[in-house]
Amino acid sequence: MGEHAIQDDIAVAERALAEYALPANSALQLLNLSENATYAVQDAATGVRSILRVHRQNYHLPHQIGSELDWLDALRGDSDIIVPTVLPAADGRRVVTVNVNGTDRHVVHFAMVAGAEPDEETVTVDDFYTLGQITAALHTHSHAWTRPAGFSRFAWDWTHSLGGDARWGRWQDADGVGTDEHRLLARAEQLLHDRLESYGSGPDRFGLIHADLRLANLLVDGSTITVIDFDDCGFGWFFYDFGTAVSFIEDDPALPEWQDSWLTGYRTRRPIAAADEEMLPSFVLLRRLMLLAWMGTHSHSKESRTKAITYAHGSCTLAERYLSSTGRSLA
């Protein structure tokens, strides 16, 4: 993302302030730049802080963003999961659209959430236990919830993950993927495809998921944990959520311990079948290959800036383990 695009994001945020009856001189602070640009806003009149999420162009349509917010509303009303609160515009809209330089851009306003994300450098098995509990609670809600008419989110099926219409691009085009890496990763991808095809996508295995449920998307404030960033929520394999839990750290030697703790936490809220548990390494590799592609198309992200140089090599290490275990282990 170039400087021009970043300036456009700021212009969108500034234009949206008036829609939320926020003073034009309210301070904007960029918090994160990934799929979207996320800003902290400080109301110039009251000093109250809140969050503006400026959506990336051509990623979600307004009604799809609205469906994400429908799930947040349902979780807030029907579960014990704590999620961000949407602050509507002055006219009641949850999704505001503003035009900057001839392009419509979409914005959502959230109340500020207290807390900080767990530090990736000091994660513990207890963190994954908690994450497993939260994941199970989300899955329970997803299975039971009757979605409103018109609910629309995209799919994380094979076609849109690694197939012909891969949403984040091709891992084959990522930095560090030469001839040898391509050959190895392609073999692992074929085994992964075959295992997912055999596993299937019936309603007990495939449904509405968070799809980015990692520690970075938890905000911890004492005993209160808020689950944030539902922007990628959509229809995928339920246990893909474990693959997302270890995003960017999949090749850490602690992976088996993390997985065991995550499973223990999960089982406090919801059972998991042996066939599902056996697929966890496959979902980790699926996520890893997707993120390898993602880094190639998201060079502006902090993850790409800090990890891309070694990510292809680590992915090959995982692919070798996956192949040698016939898809049953990454340890």
Side-chain angles (χ1 to χ4, degrees):
M1 180 177 291
E3 185 65 28
H4 181 71
I6 293 171
Q7 290 303 314
D8 278 355
D9 287 345
I10 295 171
V12 172
E14 290 174 341
R15 187 76 57 84
L17 292 174
E19 304 289 340
Y20 297 105
L22 290 165
N25 61 336
S26 295
L28 288 165
Q29 175 193 1
L30 181 64
L31 297 179
N32 188 45
L33 185 61
S34 183
E35 295 300 339
N36 308 310
T38 305
Y39 295 90
V41 185
Q42 185 165 0
D43 187 318
T46 66
V48 173
R49 285 165 57 82
S50 57
I51 298 292
L52 277 183
R53 186 176 70 186
V54 175
H55 280 259
R56 166 186 168 185
Q57 293 183 47
N58 305 319
Y59 199 58
H60 292 302
L61 297 172
H63 73 281
Q64 294 170 327
I65 301 170
S67 291
E68 172 203 348
L69 305 184
D70 287 340
W71 194 19
L72 292 180
D73 286 346
L75 286 167
R76 191 176 302 106
D78 304 333
S79 78
D80 59 359
I81 301 165
I82 301 172
V83 295
T85 299
V86 177
L87 302 176
D91 61 3
R93 285 175 297 161
R94 297 181 303 172
V95 182
V96 161
T97 301
V98 298
N99 189 284
V100 171
N101 296 327
T103 300
D104 283 343
R105 300 289 301 278
H106 311 305
V107 181
V108 179
H109 189 204
F110 295 98
M112 180 63 74
V113 175
E117 66 185 63
D119 184 354
E120 180 186 296
E121 302 299 321
T122 59
V123 295
T124 68
V125 291
D126 290 341
D127 292 323
F128 283 95
Y129 178 90
T130 299
L131 194 53
Q133 289 183 310
I134 291 170
T135 307
L138 282 169
H139 289 177
T140 295
H141 187 274
S142 174
H143 278 283
W145 184 41
T146 300
R147 295 184 291 274
F151 187 92
S152 175
R153 296 295 294 176
F154 50 46
W156 294 109
D157 54 13
W158 182 265
T159 298
H160 296 95
S161 297
L162 295 178
D165 196 17
R167 187 163 285 110
W168 289 342
R170 293 165 19 101
W171 60 259
Q172 293 90 336
D173 300 328
D175 289 343
V177 178
T179 302
D180 292 342
E181 292 83 4
H182 185 287
R183 186 179 299 114
L184 172 62
L185 293 172
R187 287 174 54 219
E189 182 188 56
Q190 184 60 55
L191 175 58
L192 172 62
H193 175 271
D194 293 347
R195 286 185 62 79
L196 287 171
E197 189 81 6
S198 177
Y199 180 66
S201 54
D204 58 331
R205 294 179 172 177
F206 194 97
L208 180 62
I209 58 172
H210 183 285
D212 196 17
L213 199 51
R214 53 198 176 106
L215 292 171
N217 284 330
L218 302 182
L219 291 180
V220 181
D221 181 34
S223 61
T224 300
I225 300 174
T226 303
V227 185
I228 64 170
D229 198 1
F230 282 70
D231 181 57
D232 279 334
C233 74
F235 296 96
W237 289 281
F238 284 105
F239 291 99
Y240 171 72
D241 272 339
F242 176 71
T244 72
V246 293
S247 296
F248 304 109
I249 50 177
E250 303 92 341
D251 54 353
D252 192 291
L255 179 65
E257 291 90 325
W258 292 343
Q259 177 174 312
D260 286 347
S261 190
W262 187 93
L263 282 167
T264 301
Y266 191 96
R267 288 192 172 103
T268 66
R269 301 291 298 264
R270 186 176 180 85
I272 176 171
D276 298 324
E277 182 176 347
E278 188 180 73
M279 285 297 292
L280 295 183
S282 293
F283 291 122
V284 173
L285 185 66
L286 173 62
R287 176 69 166 187
R288 178 80 183 204
L289 292 177
M290 289 169 63
L291 289 177
L292 183 60
W294 182 88
M295 285 191 176
T297 55
H298 292 70
S299 59
H300 59 277
S301 70
K302 67 177 182 180
E303 292 86 359
S304 290
R305 294 195 304 271
T306 58
K307 301 175 187 292
I309 194 168
T310 61
Y311 207 65
H313 176 75
S315 301
C316 288
T317 300
L318 288 177
E320 288 172 341
R321 295 172 185 169
Y322 188 75
L323 287 164
S324 66
S325 66
T326 324
R328 288 171 172 79
S329 176
L330 295 176

